Structure formats: C-alpha cells, structure tokens
Amino acid sequence: MLLHLCTWAEVEAYLKRSTGIIIPIGSTEQHGPNGLIGTDAICAEVFARAVGDAADALVAPTISVGMAQHHLGFPGSMTLRPSTLIAVIGDMVTSLSRHGFDRFFFINGHGGNVATVTAAFSEIYAENSLAPAGHNRPSIRCTLRNWYEAPAAKRLSRELFGGEEGSHATPSEVSVTFHAYPDAVKQAEMSPRVAPNGSFTDAADYRSRFPDGRIGSNPALASAAHGKTIMDAVVPDLVESYRAFLAA
Amino acid sequence: MLLHLCTWAEVEAYLKRSTGIIIPIGSTEQHGPNGLIGTDAICAEVFARAVGDAADALVAPTISVGMAQHHLGFPGSMTLRPSTLIAVIGDMVTSLSRHGFDRFFFINGHGGNVATVTAAFSEIYAENSLAPAGHNRPSIRCTLRNWYEAPAAKRLSRELFGGEEGSHATPSEVSVTFHAYPDAVKQAEMSPRVAPNGSFTDAADYRSRFPDGRIGSNPALASAAHGKTIMDAVVPDLVESYRAFLAA
Amino acid sequence: MLLHLCTWAEVEAYLKRSTGIIIPIGSTEQHGPNGLIGTDAICAEVFARAVGDAADALVAPTISVGMAQHHLGFPGSMTLRPSTLIAVIGDMVTSLSRHGFDRFFFINGHGGNVATVTAAFSEIYAENSLAPAGHNRPSIRCTLRNWYEAPAAKRLSRELFGGEEGSHATPSEVSVTFHAYPDAVKQAEMSPRVAPNGSFTDAADYRSRFPDGRIGSNPALASAAHGKTIMDAVVPDLVESYRAFLAA
Amino acid sequence: MLLHLCTWAEVEAYLKRSTGIIIPIGSTEQHGPNGLIGTDAICAEVFARAVGDAADALVAPTISVGMAQHHLGFPGSMTLRPSTLIAVIGDMVTSLSRHGFDRFFFINGHGGNVATVTAAFSEIYAENSLAPAGHNRPSIRCTLRNWYEAPAAKRLSRELFGGEEGSHATPSEVSVTFHAYPDAVKQAEMSPRVAPNGSFTDAADYRSRFPDGRIGSNPALASAAHGKTIMDAVVPDLVESYRAFLAA
Amino acid sequence: MLLHLCTWAEVEAYLKRSTGIIIPIGSTEQHGPNGLIGTDAICAEVFARAVGDAADALVAPTISVGMAQHHLGFPGSMTLRPSTLIAVIGDMVTSLSRHGFDRFFFINGHGGNVATVTAAFSEIYAENSLAPAGHNRPSIRCTLRNWYEAPAAKRLSRELFGGEEGSHATPSEVSVTFHAYPDAVKQAEMSPRVAPNGSFTDAADYRSRFPDGRIGSNPALASAAHGKTIMDAVVPDLVESYRAFLAA
Amino acid sequence: MLLHLCTWAEVEAYLKRSTGIIIPIGSTEQHGPNGLIGTDAICAEVFARAVGDAADALVAPTISVGMAQHHLGFPGSMTLRPSTLIAVIGDMVTSLSRHGFDRFFFINGHGGNVATVTAAFSEIYAENSLAPAGHNRPSIRCTLRNWYEAPAAKRLSRELFGGEEGSHATPSEVSVTFHAYPDAVKQAEMSPRVAPNGSFTDAADYRSRFPDGRIGSNPALASAAHGKTIMDAVVPDLVESYRAFLAA
C-alpha cells in the first residue's frame, strides 16, 4: 500500500488499524562497472513495497538521495550532507507524527546512511528529551533496518557469492536491481575480478583507492535470477522485523 | 535516460554530449477526495521521464516531498520546511555540478514549491556572488518549470475542464496520475461539485477553509484518457523549453 | 503612524483597535546609471508610510537589505542570503505576534524578494502546522504586496513610459525616489537608450548581461513629477488592499 | 553621503578614495513612558549621518531591529535572535567586502547589541582564520562604537542629568531623538521619578522588575535642546574615532 | 603529552615528527546506582592519556558532553544535540588541520556518540567532496575507536563479569573510573542484581524501561582493581590501533 | 563537588538543597612563549573547583574549547565558531534546566569568550521571550564571571606585576596554571621583555602584530607561588559572587 497511491481518506482509514509506516531510504551513487547509480534506492524501494504488501503496511516515498559524499569522485553520484539529511528525516517524521503515525520503520539500502540516519533519530528524540516538563509532544519510535543484514541476505550472500560479495557494488544488491529492472541489466568486465578492500575518507581518497568504484566485490556474479532468490528469502525476514517492531 | 538506471561510466559518456539534467520535483500531500497523495510527484516524474526520452536528457531521481506545510491537516501529507528544502536542493545541485553538470532543469508539479525552490536557486547563486574575487566556483544555471503552466496544459485545462479546473486537486493533474497509474483510479463524490476558492495560511486554516482538500476544482472530471491527452500535448512544450534552456 | 515614533503605551492602545501592521521591505542594490542604490527600500518605505497615514495603520521599520545576490557585481549592492532573510522575517513576525499582532502586510519594492519572503511566510506557518496537537501558538496571516503591481502602478507605467518601463531600474521606481528625495535626483546618459532584457543567475552573469545594471528600462524618463503622480494613484490601491486584508 | 542616495557609479568613485563605511545599528524596543520605540535606531542613524557628513564617509542603511529579547514584554518591541543577527551582519559585511570595502565602522545605539555584534565580527573573522592555507579571502576590519560611550556623551550625561541618566530609556538618548524628531516629543509622568536599577534575563523577568520599561533613569529630563547639545559634542568624538580607525 | 600542558612552540616541534592527534570523547550522563556521571568522559580521558604517553602522541582536551539525549530523565545528565556535536567536531578538526594535523584519532567512551561522530566525519569530508575542482583544502583522516571494543576489553569483560557486563553502566567502565578516581568509589545495592535489556527512544521512554539507569549490567561487580587490569590490557591494543592508523 | 564524580542519585539529592551550578569555560589557545595552551581552561577549572568546594556547589565539566579564532595562527590553538559555541551552551543549559537547575554561574578564563557566551545567554532567553503566551518553559538565570576581573585579581595583578600584566598570556594566568600544574612549568626568554599592545582581527592579523603570541605582558614574571597567592585571594571573591547570584 503506497502512500503515493492513496487518497487522504484512505490514509485516515489506515490509521485506525495501524500507526506504523515503512520509509525506504537509499542513495544515488556509483555502483561500479555494471551496477546502477540508483542501486541502493531501488533495493530499498522494492523491499519496502514487498514488505508493505505482505504486512498490509503503508509505504512512504523513497528517500532517493542519501549520504554518499565519498562517491562524488564518480559522475552521477549525489549526496546530502549529514546535516541536511538529519533535517529531511526530522521534517518527514514530524509531518507524519502529526497524523498519528508513531512507528517509523526505515528500510535502508546504503551503509553510508546508517550513522546519519541514526543521528537523525536522536535529533528527533532530543526534541522530546529537552522539552520542558508537561510538554505535549507525541512519543514516537524509529528504527533503521538494512535489508542486506537480514539473516536470509547474509546467508544467501555466502551461498551465492562466497568471498566475492565485498561491501560496495556487491553482487547481491546488483542482482536485486537486475531482478527489479531487467531492461537495465549491464555487462562490464571486472578488472581485477575482485575489487580491493579498505577504508576511505573523502571523494578523492575513495576514487584513488577504488578506481572503478567497487569495494571487495565481484558484481559480474550478479543476475536477475539471484535477485529473485534474494527477494523471496529476505522479504519474510523484514516482514517479521516489522511486525515485531509494531508490537514492541 | 534515468540517472538511477545508468552506470557511472554511462553518465561520464553522457557528460561529453550534454551538461544538462532534468530534476523532477513534486510533493506528498492530500489531493482531495479522489486525488492521490503522490499526485504532484507522480506528475513531475512522468513528465520528466517523457521529456528525458524525447530530448535525450538525463533525469535525476524525483524529489518526492516538497513544501506542503498547509496540507498537514490531512492524513498522509508531508512537508519539508522551506529551509530544509533549500538545503536539499543546494546539496543536490552542488553534487551534480562537481561532475560538470551546469544546466539544471527542474520540472515541478506543485505550486507550493515555487517560492522555496526559487529561493534555493538564489541561495546557490549567492555562494558565487559572495565568494572572494578569483574563486574557482563553477558557473551554473537553474530553472523551474511548472508543467501545468505549459501553453498546452493551460489550453487543455480550459478546453477539457473549463471553470472547474481550480487550483488544487485539479482534474488536469488527477487525470495525469490516472493515466500513469490506471490501477489507482479512485471514485469519490464531490460535495459541493466545485470546491471553494481562496487563500490560506497554515494547516489548520487550510483545513477549515477547504474541508475536503480541494481548491476551486471538480476532479470528478478527471480520467485516464484526459491524462493521456494532456501528456501528449504538454511533453513537446517542455521539450522545447528544455532545448531552449540548454541553448541559453 | 510609525512604530519608531510611538511609545509602547501608544502601541498598546493601537492594539485595542487593530492587530494589523505594515512592514516595508526593499533592497540595497544598484539601480542603473541614474537610480539610487536605495531605490527599492525608499519606494517600499514611502508607500508604507502613506498607506499607514491613510489607513491609520502602524508601520514597522523598513527591511532595507533584501535578497539581491545578483546585483553584487556592482559597487554598493548588498544582499542577505535567502536563509538569512527567512530568519529575519521569522524573528520579526514572531516578535510582533507576541504582542497580539496577527495581520502582517508587507509592502515590497523589489522583485528579488518575492520568492524568499514567500518562503519565509511558509517557514513561519510550518511552525504551526508541524506543532503537536493542542499547541498554543497564535494563528497569524502574512501577505506580500508589490507596490509596482498595484493596478494604478501598472496603468501609469504603460501611460507614462510605454515600452521603456523594463523590469529593473524602471522609470516608475526611479520617479518615486526622485519625488521622495528631490535633492538626490541624478542625471546620466543611457546607452543604449533602452537596456536589454533577459534572465540571469549570479552576480557575474548579471553584470555580463546588463553592463550598466538596467534591465529593459529607460530610466532617463524618470522625474519627480511622475513620481508624485504614481504615489497619488497607487496609495489608494494599497490602502484598499490593506483594508481587505484586515477583513479577510 | 548615504549609500541609499548614491548610484553605483558614485560608490565606485568613492572606493577610489576610501574603503571605509559606517553602518548604524540600533534596535526597535520600548523606551519607557516617553521614549520612542525607535530610540536606539534613530540615535545610531542620526549620529552615523552626521559623522558621514563630517568625515566624507559613506553611510550604509541602518540595522533597525537588533537584539532586544528582554524588551518583548512591552508592545511594539522586536528582536532578532543572536544567531539571526550574526547571519545578518555576516551577509552585509561580506557583500560590501566584495566591492573592496575593508573598514566597517558600526555606530551602535543599543547596549543589548554589543555582545552579539562582537560575536558576529568573530564569526566573520573565523571564516578567514579557519580557511585553508593559500585562501584568497580579503582581510577586513570591523569595529563597534557605542555613541553613548563617547567621551563627550559621558561628560554631558553627568553634567545634564547627573544621577538620573540610568541605563535604559536614558534622558540622553531620549533627548537625541527629540532633537531629531521634534514632532514626536512625548510627555509622560514618571513614577517613581527615577526608575529602579538591576539586572534581568528574559522578557517576563524584565517586565516584572522594570514595570514601565526604564532602568535607573528619569527621561522626563529629556529635551530637544539637550539633544542638540549632545549631538554637537559627540559627533566630533566619533569623527575622530572613525579617522583613527581608518588609519589603524 | 597533553595539548593543554604544551606551549605552542612545543606543538610546532611535535608537528615536525607527527601529524597525528588523539581526541578523547565521552559523555556526561547517569551511570546507574554506583556509576559516576562522568564515567564515559573519564574513561575516554584516561585511555587517551595512557595511549598518548605510550605512543608519544599529543592528546587534545576531552569532549566531555556528548550525545546522550536518552539519559535526560536522570538528574545531572547532559546532551548535545547531534547537530551541535557535528558542529563542534567540525570546528575542532578544522582548527587543528590548519596547523598541519591530518590524522584524528578519537577515543570514545560512549556508544551513544558513535553515530553522531561518524556523521560528523562525513560532514567534514563532504566539504572536500563538494568543493570545486582545484580547491586547496587539506586531505585529512578521522577515526573513532571505542575503548570497550578493543580485543582486550571484550576478553576481560567476559572473563571478569561474564553475563553481567550489560551495555550501560557496565562493571568494566565503572571499574576503570574507580581505578582512576579511587576517592569517588560508590556503593549501591542493585535491584534487580542484573538490569533489564532492551532498546529505547527518548528520555521518558528510557527512564520507564530502565528505572535505575542501568542496561543489562551488574556494576556492583566493579572494582578499582579490575579497572587497573582493564587499563593495563587495553592500552596496548589502542596504541597498536593508533600506530596502524598513522601508517595507513 | 564535581558533577562528573557524582551519581545521579547524588545530584537528585543536591537539587533538594540548591538549584545552582558552576560551569567553567576556558579556551585552548597559545599563551605565548611559556604559557600553556590550556591556560584559560585550566584557570577556569581550578577556580570553579575551589569555589565549588567552598560554597558546596556542583561543578559541571569544563568547556575546554572556546572562541579563539584569532589564535589560530599558532600551532595547537583551537576554536569553536561563535555560532557553534552558542549552540553548545544552549544545549548544556537546557539539559540541566530539565532537572531543575535554574542558576547557571559560568566561571570564565578567556576574554575572547565574553561576547559569544553573553550572546548565548540571550539566545536562550529569547526562546522564552518569543514563546507563545502560556508556555511552560522554566525561568532560568545565567551569569558569566571572569576570574581575572574579581577585585582581588585586579589588585594582585597591580601589586605583583604592575605594568607588565598585559592582556594575553598574562603573568597572573600563567602563575595560576604553574601553581595547578607544577610539573608543567616552562621557561622561555621574552623578547621584547614586555609584548606590544593593540587590537586584532583574524588569525593572520593577530600573528603579524603579536609574533610570539603575547599582548602587553611579561609572563616571565609568572611563578607557582604567585599563582597560589592569586588563588587564595580570588576564590573568596568568587564564592561571594556565587552566593549573591543564588540569592538574586
């Protein structure tokens, strides 16, 4: 159930049976030689929609541009500064809380978002914690779940890609996007086959260490079929997480 | 050509033939009894994609949540504060300018965005204007085009809906979304048939003046067929605008 | 009735008969070869004072520096960034609302302010719209009126200056300042007689397109006498607007 | 020489003989039973203009609303938050520095501005101090002078008003405004004759300690004649300060 | 080598042999019935100083107040909002980078800081990543190390406290502070012996779930002797990390 | 009584007998040839602790990095921007006010902090002053006391150091740090014996005017013994100030 395809009256009705909402958050950043720039946003979105369908949960629009400053050395990458993303999440959550939503389940597709989104939650909670006694601010609860850390995602990564999963432009995430957008499947030679590992700081540093954009991965292993396998296995994990979150 | 479905190498190649990019911006807000909450974002997105196809232009991800504080009295509506949206647009444009993009063509679906997006452009330009002499900041150019103000859109609005177009939850925009998402077509009785007109301030004021969310419109006139008519006529107008913008 | 020339007790008495206030807003920016740098602030101020006299309305101090980043290529021009101006307007309106003012009528002399001031109003309203249920924030109403768009101003512009009004450093606005400050009347040759038209981005771009600062105008047509004509005709329009605003 | 009454070409010419500028800064706040709400802005402005005339210095538009949060318990008072005023001063100084101004002489009429304006100067300098080596930011110098602390102002305060000068709504400042605006001279009984002294925090605290707005003063002693005496004596002090500042 | 006990000439000399610096960061928040409010700051500080001594590294002053909004339900707890802490870290790192420091090794004592400090690093890097081509900003590298996640810390936690370590007000951290401040050792009965586990949102939520402040721990097991054991074992781990960081 | 060495239950008990707290604030900046970079923070801290002991007052952690942009030309100096420091003080005071603290006594060791900290207090008060009628924000009171302006400090400065006290890197403050940290006493030749006086703007300007960092002082006169004399005399002054502040 997509918020964007509802009328306000349908949302009003939904709120009578649930105060939870799923918010997909991704990124717009290079994903190596054959990965799509929208990989993280696409993954977050397709998982969120599938979970929304399975759990009768409302799904908000995807936050497509995340915190990806380190990818700016590659054409097409975009970032919000952490301070901007904190403001965005604050405004979105506050908007929805006005209607009675109080359980915000973010499905995340990008490791680079984790720290900033977590800080954004604290910024929101801090408004309550610093408010004068007797305030009338609603009590809300936010959580961030990385689809690629769901138990099934980790298991399948090992089974399908072994030591070639890596941590950026992984065959798992590329597979999910190939399944979602079969017309956008790309081919590219990987050289070296498996990309180097390591840490990074800013965009120039990242590009010098990871010249084609990948970290530790071999996304030539990706396929739409693997993507379907991953989707089918991971969605139930996320549904269970969502239900547990509502019940907490 | 969607940025999200490209690899970074494809964007690098694109930049050799064009430094323009289209950025759709909409809103997530109530659109009356039968309009979708995503109406403005959906319209911006479908027009942007069609223009991108017709003009071989890259299309960035849609800014789905805009400045819609006045709609917060209706469940499901979301807003960014103007100051937040200014930061978002600044970060997005700055990110892309790093790669060599210098013509930013925003296709807008929401009147409430106009002032803030225009202010955001000035905030970006001001960085250049206030920079010390001899700075190396790139010169860029941004523009905002409201699809519903294209000549064809205004003409068709008159022809198809006459005095019942109104200014919010209009049959034109609802038609475009029904064409884009035929499975999401909604039916609702309009009472009164044509909504009242007027101005508004904050969310409580808006809701008290426009109890079902519409302003001056009768969106019961909307249909997917009308949406197709509008799309077919408006896209060439926007393509022409985009080409003129690149040439300016 | 100028706020600056009242005591607080007089303001307290005023609030018993009206909760409206007029706030002039202008700019400090080049106005071509013979226009004053204070043109926009002067116009806003003299119209505001005349309206205040005619409508028994309190007039706040003039916001003299507006959003004029594009004029910074010419000596003497000053700007506030949009984000700064948004903060200024927010603080001013909030200050006055604490005393019971709830109708804020901005008389504007500068096109470059429109987007940012409109965004500032939304930023103020958003505080209410995003506030938790049961908040005790006052309901207020702001409006921005450009004196040069009053019906009489547009009519006189056509009658007096025809196709040589242009859009910056216009003979209309220069005339009003010459009427207000007859000792500051300047002479300058205009070359070309009528300045070019066009759009612009940042200060460098503006200066390269409009080398003497004018856009589309021939301010050599300006005179104090024309200024008096314009004042006499436009003030009643603004008075009527103000009264209608109070009644809305 | 008022910036507002110059053309940009005149400012360009001025910059060939001087890079100094005077910026008056006041406040919009209650000044007791007979003092004008604009007292501090009026004083700053009239002193700035007189100094500008005497020293052939350019005078920028007056910052009319300052930091006056503690006066908000009295109708008509307005404040900028310190953070807003810091942004305003930063934008104004940066704008002017782009043209080559590098000596900013603020003439201040309000004690409540001192800390914030001083902090604003540090915020500006910090941009240089924190800039990477080899930056091309201009070196500028700002100073704040309180007219009421000029030697002549302190001497005349003692001679004319002795122990009844106080520290807010003083007979000195009220006299200067009565001299400047003889039509706005007000009469009011002072009870007690001399107001209490003390410190304060927020607006509620201030109002409870100083019920008619004065601190330690008896402004019934004010007169336009005294205002003239003060003006005549203080302007030369400020002119000397300004010249020394330019030479430093 | 403490920055606070050096002269600037000594820092200048240090920079010739190293461009690394250690910055301890803690928090000021309740630590259960017998833990000190300064626990996290004290731990970060004593580890940082010991590492500084062992590795000839300069140690900056401790950031004593961190991100601890969730503890504000207990008297004495203090927090910086995430946005404030991001600004603080940005200013501190930028200040030091001006002198040539380019390796910033934060030793952290508080889990609640991790997300915000990581976001702060990204905010700093983003300045470089978003800067125009050809900028002269220095390349720097920041890292955050939680002393309690050093291998020796995790091993000793298991050996000394088994399942009673928990995650807040742990016997490990309390022991370190008792070792550092033997005069401040406190006794308190723990009821229940081991505190409950769980997640939390804002301060009210935290206090309702964890009524005495602990999470999952039994800090009655803490002792100064255990603290010494932990210090002796963990410092070499951190020294090794620091050296590897400098070499990276 | 140091906040950092208390449990939350001890703070809860303290609040039953007092709602006052002492917050030391210093700076991290060069202090000339023999002064410590931590001089201002050390002085603030040792005075605060002594006053806390003498007056049974709780002492918060020291704000070690202050507003010192002008010292950034010397290695090891650090600054917060004024806007950052304003945010820090706001968050700290708001945190503590949530627990019932309402008297905030800042003991300051650095002249460069005065304006910004004073502005920070106004920023805090402004939240109350601008709040809607009927708000439930607590009424609080903040004050800043510079230890070096205590009567005994000024008297001893004259007696011990006469005309060689100066205004930065003074023998008084250096003496206090030498008393506090006898192992950190430094020797350095002063050339010239007494440093020049003058004003300054940014870091480059400061360094060019005061090449070894001192202003007007001869800190070769400093000694731990003088430091003890100063401590012994100044603490009672500050205790008296603190008691008067609580009673006000």
Side-chain angles (χ1 to χ4, degrees), chain B:
Chain B
M1 190 181 177
L2 302 185
L3 178 61
H4 266 206
L5 299 185
C6 294
T7 64
W8 69 262
E10 290 167 340
V11 177
E12 192 170 55
Y14 172 87
L15 278 161
K16 289 185 181 137
R17 63 183 193 272
S18 176
T19 57
I21 190 164
I22 296 172
I23 305 179
I25 177 165
S27 185
T28 296
E29 63 185 46
Q30 67 81 19
H31 270 78
N34 71 334
L36 309 181
I37 284 176
T39 297
D40 294 343
I42 291 166
C43 289
E45 188 164 288
V46 296
F47 279 111
R49 290 178 178 198
V51 173
D53 286 348
D56 182 28
L58 199 61
V59 179
T62 303
I63 303 177
S64 298
V65 182
M67 207 307 293
Q69 61 82 23
H70 42 304
H71 293 292
L72 286 177
F74 295 88
S77 299
M78 300 170 76
T79 195
L80 299 185
R81 292 168 205 265
S83 51
T84 303
L85 185 51
I86 288 171
V88 166
I89 291 173
D91 285 358
M92 287 177 65
V93 167
T94 306
S95 294
L96 291 167
S97 75
R98 192 192 194 285
H99 309 307
F101 291 99
D102 63 2
R103 288 289 182 280
F104 300 89
F105 190 85
F106 286 73
I107 293 184
N108 181 39
H110 172 50
N113 286 337
V114 174
T116 297
V117 174
T118 305
F121 295 166
S122 295
E123 188 91 8
I124 294 167
Y125 297 145
E127 283 298 303
N128 279 10
S129 299
L130 289 165
H135 71 80
N136 60 350
R137 305 178 59 85
S139 175
I140 64 167
R141 185 168 283 263
C142 302
T143 196
L144 181 75
R145 303 299 165 95
N146 305 314
W147 70 263
Y148 50 85
E149 291 188 333
K154 296 174 89 165
R155 178 176 51 78
L156 281 169
S157 158
R158 277 192 308 273
E159 291 176 14
L160 297 172
F161 310 119
E164 304 193 0
E165 171 77 355
S167 59
H168 183 67
T170 67
S172 288
E173 62 186 350
V174 173
S175 293
V176 172
T177 64
F178 285 180
H179 172 58
Y181 291 89
D183 295 346
V185 172
K186 319 272 172 166
Q187 306 283 352
E189 214 172 335
M190 300 293 155
S191 165
R193 193 170 52 85
V194 179
N197 275 295
S199 67
F200 50 82
T201 59
D202 61 21
D205 180 67
Y206 187 105
R207 178 126 199 192
S208 72
R209 290 169 192 263
F210 311 107
D212 70 1
R214 297 173 295 147
I215 303 181
S217 66
N218 175 15
L221 302 177
S223 73
H226 287 332
K228 181 172 188 325
T229 305
I230 294 169
M231 284 289 298
D232 288 348
V234 169
V235 168
D237 279 1
L238 291 170
V239 168
E240 189 184 328
S241 280
Y242 178 68
R243 290 199 171 122
F245 176 67
L246 289 193

Side-chain angles (χ1 to χ4, degrees), chain F residues 6-248:
Chain F
C6 294
T7 64
W8 68 262
E10 290 168 340
V11 177
E12 191 171 55
Y14 172 86
L15 278 161
K16 289 184 182 138
R17 64 184 194 272
S18 176
T19 56
I21 190 165
I22 296 172
I23 304 179
I25 178 165
S27 184
T28 296
E29 63 183 47
Q30 67 81 18
H31 270 78
N34 70 336
L36 309 181
I37 283 176
T39 297
D40 294 343
I42 292 165
C43 289
E45 187 164 290
V46 296
F47 278 112
R49 291 179 176 197
V51 174
D53 286 348
D56 182 29
L58 198 62
V59 179
T62 303
I63 302 177
S64 297
V65 181
M67 207 307 294
Q69 62 82 23
H70 43 301
H71 293 292
L72 285 177
F74 296 89
S77 299
M78 300 169 75
T79 194
L80 299 186
R81 292 169 205 264
S83 51
T84 304
L85 186 51
I86 287 172
V88 166
I89 291 172
D91 285 358
M92 287 177 65
V93 166
T94 306
S95 294
L96 292 167
S97 74
R98 193 192 192 286
H99 309 307
F101 291 99
D102 63 2
R103 287 291 181 281
F104 300 90
F105 190 87
F106 286 73
I107 293 184
N108 180 40
H110 172 49
N113 287 337
V114 174
T116 297
V117 174
T118 305
F121 294 166
S122 296
E123 188 91 8
I124 294 167
Y125 297 145
E127 283 296 304
N128 280 9
S129 299
L130 289 165
H135 71 79
N136 60 349
R137 305 177 59 86
S139 175
I140 63 166
R141 185 168 283 265
C142 301
T143 197
L144 181 74
R145 303 300 165 94
N146 304 314
W147 71 262
Y148 50 84
E149 290 188 334
K154 296 175 90 165
R155 178 175 51 77
L156 281 169
S157 159
R158 278 193 307 273
E159 291 176 15
L160 297 172
F161 311 119
E164 304 194 0
E165 172 76 356
S167 60
H168 183 68
T170 67
S172 288
E173 62 186 349
V174 173
S175 292
V176 171
T177 64
F178 285 180
H179 172 59
Y181 291 89
D183 294 347
V185 172
K186 320 271 173 167
Q187 307 283 351
E189 214 171 333
M190 300 294 155
S191 166
R193 193 170 51 85
V194 178
N197 276 294
S199 67
F200 49 83
T201 60
D202 62 20
D205 180 69
Y206 186 106
R207 177 125 198 193
S208 73
R209 291 171 191 262
F210 311 107
D212 69 1
R214 297 172 294 147
I215 303 181
S217 67
N218 176 14
L221 301 177
S223 73
H226 287 332
K228 181 172 189 322
T229 304
I230 293 169
M231 284 289 298
D232 290 347
V234 169
V235 168
D237 279 1
L238 292 171
V239 168
E240 189 185 327
S241 281
Y242 178 69
R243 290 201 170 122
F245 175 65
L246 288 192

Side-chain angles (χ1 to χ4, degrees), chain D residues 81-110:
Chain D
R81 292 168 206 265
S83 51
T84 303
L85 186 51
I86 287 172
V88 166
I89 291 173
D91 285 359
M92 288 177 64
V93 167
T94 306
S95 294
L96 292 166
S97 75
R98 193 193 192 284
H99 309 307
F101 291 99
D102 64 2
R103 288 290 182 281
F104 301 90
F105 189 87
F106 286 73
I107 294 185
N108 180 40
H110 172 49

Side-chain angles (χ1 to χ4, degrees), chain C residues 163-177:
Chain C
E164 304 194 1
E165 172 78 355
S167 60
H168 183 68
T170 67
S172 288
E173 63 186 349
V174 173
S175 293
V176 171
T177 65

Side-chain angles (χ1 to χ4, degrees), chain D residues 128-135, chain E residues 91 94-95 97-98 136-138:
Chain D
N128 280 9
S129 300
L130 289 165
H135 70 81
Chain E
D91 285 358
T94 306
S95 293
S97 74
R98 194 192 192 286
N136 61 349
R137 307 178 58 86

Side-chain angles (χ1 to χ4, degrees), chain D residues 14 33 40 51 60 67 71 92 112-113 129 142 157 218 223 230 246:
Chain D
Y14 172 86
D40 294 343
V51 174
M67 208 306 293
H71 292 294
M92 288 177 64
N113 286 336
S129 300
C142 301
S157 159
N218 175 15
S223 73
I230 293 168
L246 288 192

